[in-house]
């Protein structure tokens, strides 16, 4: 099932992620699937476009947040949470920071990472 959805900064695309280990980029006008990003082993929880629209930040059950090239699906960076699985993500307006939330074992925490 789909666990999150968001628009690209220009509103032309929609980003979804789901329990089937994928994040998908869709055309907002036609609904056509444009690209699929796949993780190796765990379901995706949340994803967001970076402000330039060329990259996606997605979090999964494996304690990692990853940035991906939105056009080819190449993993660019991996950020590892030491607290537990990351459940949601937000990107600052300038694209320099990512805020991720974790609710592992009732230990609610936030992680602020630099994307620069």
């Amino acid at each position: 099932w789909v666990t999150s959805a968001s628009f690209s900064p220009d509103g032309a695309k929609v980003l979804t992620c789901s329990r089937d280990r994928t994040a998908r980029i869709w055309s907002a006008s036609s609904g056509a699937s444009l690209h699929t990003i796949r993780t190796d082993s765990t379901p995706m929880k949340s994803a967001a476009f970076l402000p330039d629209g060329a990259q996606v930040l997605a979090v999964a059950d494996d304690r990692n947040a990853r940035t991906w090239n939105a056009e080819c699906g190449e993993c660019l960076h991996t950020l590892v949470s030491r607290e537990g699985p990351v459940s949601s993500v937000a990107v600052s307006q300038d694209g320099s920071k990512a805020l991720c939330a974790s609710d592992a074992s009732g230990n609610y925490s936030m992680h602020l990472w630099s994307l620069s």
Side-chain angles (χ1 to χ4, degrees):
W1 69 80
V2 174
T3 56
S4 78
S6 61
F7 282 100
S8 62
D10 64 3
K13 297 175 186 170
V14 173
L15 171 65
T16 61
C17 66
S18 69
R19 306 286 305 162
D20 70 355
R21 301 182 205 144
T22 64
R24 297 176 194 268
I25 299 172
W26 309 85
S27 166
S29 60
S30 71
S33 177
L34 302 175
H35 192 72
T36 301
I37 296 168
R38 298 182 191 283
T39 62
D40 292 334
S41 59
T42 61
M44 292 222 190
K45 292 272 193 96
S46 181
F49 278 98
L50 272 66
D52 65 3
Q55 293 180 44
V56 168
L57 179 66
V59 295
D61 278 344
D62 64 358
R63 299 179 181 234
N64 294 322
R66 295 178 179 87
T67 55
W68 305 84
N69 179 302
E71 294 301 318
C72 71
E74 175 188 6
C75 182
L76 303 173
H77 303 284
T78 300
L79 307 167
V80 179
S81 167
R82 307 241 188 289
E83 298 297 321
V86 180
S87 56
S88 66
V89 65
V91 178
S92 63
Q93 287 184 328
D94 66 0
S96 67
K97 297 183 247 352
L99 180 64
C100 298
S102 175
D103 58 5
S105 305
N107 181 20
Y108 303 104
S109 61
M110 299 285 193
H111 309 277
L112 183 63
W113 281 303
S114 172
L115 298 177
S116 304

